[in-house]
């Protein structure tokens, strides 16, 4: 991206209303046409030298204002990135959430970090990723090791492996690799609706968000996208060398909502938390793992008291490991 492009992008009020501003980041076009990402910010009245950048999961976007509040209360300016083809960044000509290589997200992550550090003067940057965003940010932090870009990494139920049978994770993955190369947009799966219906206020949940950007049934899972994810899983499984402190949090249990619907409010029904706990040590040399009793997939959206425990554990870790805590 050129300096001229950066100058053309300006903040304006976000859909979340007062206190939230949004800025479009123009990216290199791909085979579908123009591509953008979207940077959302909420800053403290007095400003801060420390900032956090939040990155959402699959079939998701930033809407969790209470998460932003928690970081502001801790003395951080808050930023969130809607990745290309997600949420605020999705355009009519695009396949929702589609990508064929997770490395492509480096462009918007690099640009968001540049804006936060160079343009807006933050000395400390914490990156926080949820689910697929946890996989994406882990791989990016690994590739940016030694560059002083990421001071700490927070992973909320990061997606480190398929929540599937051994057959699907081995022979099934080999088939996805072949199909993803030959027919990348062929549909190979879909999401269930139980988790989304549990969350959304319209169907009795606690949270309000745009169902066009985060539909209960998600978007179709296509071969090219799943191939990219499985390549990311394989790289992480071989071991990363992230050189900053890492906080990994997940629920203490996984369940199947079709078989145990009564446990949807107290377990992760999306990922196998044993995969998260087992692979966390492969991220780098300084990893803290927290298991949140009663937590759901997005720990920040868990019912109480699990939600408060997640924020409390994150706060303790932040005070111990994030630079500038004594300011």
């Amino acid at each position: 991206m050129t300096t001229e492009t950066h100058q053309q992008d300006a903040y304006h009020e976000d859909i979340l209303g007062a206190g939230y501003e949004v800025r479009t980041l123009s990216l290199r076009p791909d085979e579908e046409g123009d591509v953008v990402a979207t940077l959302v910010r909420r800053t403290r009245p007095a400003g801060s030298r420390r900032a956090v950048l939040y990155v959402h999961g699959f079939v998701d976007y930033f809407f969790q204002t209470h998460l932003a509040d928690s970081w502001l209360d801790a003395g951080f300016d808050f930023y969130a990135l809607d990745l290309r083809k997600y949420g605020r960044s999705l355009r009519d000509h695009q396949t929702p959430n589609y990508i064929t290589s997770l490395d492509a997200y480096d462009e918007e992550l690099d640009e968001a970090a540049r804006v936060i550090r160079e343009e807006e003067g933050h000395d400390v940057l914490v990156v926080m990723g949820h689910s697929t965003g946890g996989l994406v940010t882990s791989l990016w932090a690994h590739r940016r090791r030694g560059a002083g870009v990421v001071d700490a990494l927070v992973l909320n139920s990061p997606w480190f492996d398929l929540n599937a049978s051994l057959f699907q994770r081995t022979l099934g993955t080999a088939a996805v690799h072949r199909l993803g190369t030959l027919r990348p947009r062929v549909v190979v799966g879909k999401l269930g609706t139980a988790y989304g219906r549990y969350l959304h206020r319209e169907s009795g949940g606690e949270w309000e968000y745009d169902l066009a950007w985060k539909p209960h049934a998600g978007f179709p899972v296509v071969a090219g996208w799943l191939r990219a994810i499985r390549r990311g899983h394989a790289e992480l499984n071989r071991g990363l060398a992230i050189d900053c402190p890492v906080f990994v949090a997940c629920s203490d249990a996984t369940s199947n909502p079709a078989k145990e619907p009564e446990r949807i409010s107290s377990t992760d029904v999306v990922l196998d938390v044993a995969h998260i706990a087992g692979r966390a040590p492969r991220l780098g040399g300084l990893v803290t793992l927290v298991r949140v009793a009663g937590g759901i997939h997005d720990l920040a959206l868990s019912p109480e008291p699990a939600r408060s425990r997640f924020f409390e554990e994150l706060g303790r870790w932040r005070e111990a490991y994030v630079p500038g805590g004594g300011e």
Side-chain angles (χ1 to χ4, degrees):
M1 294 179 65
T2 65
T3 303
E4 289 74 22
T5 301
H6 295 155
Q7 291 174 344
Q8 290 169 2
D9 295 334
Y11 285 105
H12 57 274
E13 188 175 53
D14 184 50
I15 56 172
L16 294 174
Y20 289 91
E21 297 177 296
V22 66
R23 170 178 177 171
T24 300
L25 306 179
S26 299
L27 307 175
R28 291 187 295 270
D30 67 6
E31 69 276 12
E32 293 188 325
D34 292 341
V35 178
V36 301
T38 309
L39 188 63
V40 183
R41 75 175 178 184
R42 185 176 172 205
T43 56
R44 302 169 75 242
S48 175
R49 303 297 290 183
R50 300 195 295 172
V52 60
L53 175 65
Y54 173 79
V55 181
H56 56 81
F58 181 54
V59 190
D60 207 355
Y61 72 102
F62 170 66
F63 63 89
Q64 301 91 331
T65 56
H66 68 292
L67 176 64
D69 291 341
S70 73
W71 283 97
L72 264 71
D73 290 344
F76 289 74
D77 287 340
F78 181 87
Y79 296 79
L81 184 65
D82 278 12
L83 299 169
R84 64 186 69 197
K85 306 184 184 184
Y86 283 87
R88 298 165 180 81
S89 307
L90 180 61
R91 299 296 185 259
D92 290 342
H93 65 275
Q94 295 174 335
T95 304
N97 302 183
Y98 180 69
I99 202 162
T100 56
S101 172
L102 299 185
D103 293 6
Y105 292 129
D106 288 2
E107 185 180 5
E108 54 256 54
L109 287 164
D110 286 343
E111 177 60 6
R114 188 198 66 79
V115 169
I116 293 167
R117 283 189 175 277
E118 297 180 14
E119 290 191 14
E120 306 196 7
H122 295 90
D123 300 323
V124 172
L125 176 60
V126 179
V127 176
M128 181 177 189
H130 167 57
S131 197
T132 307
L135 174 63
V136 168
T137 55
S138 294
L139 297 171
W140 175 68
H142 169 72
R143 288 191 289 271
R144 297 297 174 265
R145 64 192 183 280
V149 177
V150 183
D151 293 293
L153 182 65
V154 175
L155 304 177
N156 168 6
S157 302
W159 189 15
F160 289 163
D161 202 349
L162 288 182
N163 182 9
S165 68
L166 180 61
F167 175 84
Q168 290 172 295
R169 290 186 285 120
T170 54
L171 295 178
T173 292
V176 163
H177 281 307
R178 290 193 295 271
L179 193 58
T181 300
L182 299 172
R183 300 179 61 195
R185 286 186 175 79
V186 68
V187 175
V188 294
K190 62 180 181 179
L191 303 182
T193 64
Y195 179 61
R197 293 189 182 282
Y198 166 73
L199 291 177
H200 200 267
R201 186 169 297 167
E202 183 182 89
S203 45
E206 186 175 353
W207 308 101
E208 184 67 45
Y209 50 83
D210 192 330
L211 290 174
W213 291 343
K214 186 177 172 64
H216 294 330
F219 299 109
V221 176
V222 298
W225 175 85
L226 187 55
R227 176 175 176 264
I229 293 292
R230 293 304 281 155
R231 281 181 153 184
H233 288 160
E235 181 179 356
L236 186 144
N237 192 51
R238 290 191 294 269
L240 305 182
I242 297 171
D243 61 357
C244 66
V246 184
F247 176 86
V248 180
C250 63
S251 178
D252 65 338
T254 292
S255 71
N256 184 328
K259 297 178 179 179
E260 300 176 289
E262 72 281 359
R263 300 185 69 198
I264 195 170
S265 62
S266 60
T267 59
D268 191 326
V269 299
V270 178
L271 299 181
D272 185 336
V273 295
H275 294 157
I276 300 172
R279 288 160 179 72
R282 304 179 192 186
L283 294 167
L286 182 54
V287 179
T288 301
L289 173 67
V290 171
R291 306 290 294 269
V292 179
I296 65 170
H297 179 53
D298 188 339
L299 294 167
L301 304 184
S302 296
E304 295 292 3
R307 187 191 317 161
S308 290
R309 185 183 173 220
F310 168 61
F311 284 121
E312 288 164 4
E313 294 289 350
L314 175 56
R316 277 193 283 271
W317 175 86
R318 185 170 51 212
E319 287 300 309
Y321 288 107
V322 177
E327 293 180 358

